[in-house]
Amino acid sequence: KVDLFDLKLANSNGVSHPIVLDTSEDFIWRMFDIVDRVRKSTAKLAGGDIKLDWDEGKDSFTLDIMEVPKRGHDDLDEDGTYHPPRSDRLYDVKSASVSPFKVLVSFKRQPQLSRYQLATKFQGATLMNYITINLKFTVDDAELLLSGYHGNNIKGPSDGLLEIIKTYYLDQLKKKILTLVMATRLK
């Protein structure tokens, strides 16, 4: 049971400061590589794993937090009947909040040919190849203001609160796409 979950991002003495993201595509790819290696190494120790998949229907990535089964545990019994994983820990959070925050985004896209495969089997493949392989752009100081989150009486498995907060902020980020587009310069 948790009475208060209070997350303050870039906050000092009650004042919220901007989170500055100034990076390039090369750095993002290197971070994905490192995160993937660390995730695989720690999944068994942490008891949980993160799965990132591309959802064709939504045209976006989905993030799933899964529990790693303990040794000797199988989801199928001898008869082939599926048994979903059991959560051994449920949370009851009386009040959860995340403070409002601002993110300043700057990004320089410099495609790396080795990271992309040529698309060939659909209409518009030529345009897709140009965008993924040749298109260069820069995002300069896009200011994303994200409002705070507050929820009461959140009950469920360990990933429940994270899923609620993730959904809340992904919805806000979708609404900030225009801000990112306005700060973008094509090269």
Side-chain angles (χ1 to χ4, degrees):
K1 185 167 178 132
V2 177
D3 287 334
L4 176 64
F5 173 84
D6 189 17
L7 180 61
K8 296 181 187 234
L9 300 169
N11 196 299
S12 173
N13 297 325
V15 177
S16 182
H17 301 283
I19 298 169
V20 178
L21 294 177
D22 187 359
T23 189
S24 66
E25 183 172 3
D26 181 52
F27 178 76
I28 300 286
W29 280 117
R30 289 175 192 236
M31 289 305 298
F32 277 145
D33 291 342
I34 291 170
V35 167
D36 187 53
R37 289 180 194 155
V38 170
R39 180 192 59 80
K40 287 178 181 176
S41 298
T42 61
K44 288 183 181 177
L45 293 174
D49 195 8
I50 297 173
K51 184 177 179 186
L52 183 67
D53 286 321
W54 179 255
D55 186 335
E56 297 278 338
K58 294 179 182 177
D59 259 1
S60 66
F61 283 100
T62 58
L63 178 71
D64 294 318
I65 300 170
M66 304 172 302
E67 288 186 31
V68 173
K70 294 177 180 150
R71 284 185 223 261
H73 176 16
D74 194 357
D75 291 342
L76 297 175
D77 64 14
E78 295 158 2
D79 299 332
T81 306
Y82 172 75
H83 297 282
R86 292 178 294 207
S87 178
D88 58 349
R89 189 173 291 164
L90 297 176
Y91 290 93
D92 181 2
V93 179
K94 192 171 188 177
S95 180
S97 66
V98 177
S99 66
F101 60 97
K102 177 179 13 178
V103 181
L104 291 174
V105 178
S106 295
F107 179 81
K108 185 173 184 177
R109 177 150 198 267
Q110 298 168 314
Q112 296 178 6
L113 296 178
S114 64
R115 295 283 185 173
Y116 300 100
Q117 297 176 353
L118 287 176
T120 57
K121 297 183 180 182
F122 61 91
Q123 186 177 3
T126 304
L127 177 62
M128 179 61 78
N129 288 332
Y130 175 78
I131 290 171
T132 58
I133 296 171
N134 298 320
L135 184 65
K136 295 179 182 176
F137 62 87
T138 302
V139 176
D140 286 323
D141 295 327
E143 188 174 287
L144 307 177
L145 299 169
L146 302 170
S147 63
Y149 167 79
H150 188 77
N152 293 315
N153 299 319
I154 300 168
K155 299 176 182 177
S158 59
D159 62 343
L161 177 59
L162 295 175
E163 188 68 30
I164 291 168
I165 292 172
K166 179 190 84 170
T167 302
Y168 178 80
Y169 283 106
L170 282 176
D171 184 54
Q172 282 198 39
L173 285 173
K174 288 176 187 174
K175 295 174 185 174
K176 302 294 183 184
I177 283 292
L178 184 59
T179 303
L180 285 170
V181 170
M182 290 174 38
T184 302
R185 289 181 319 185
L186 297 176
K187 291 188 174 196

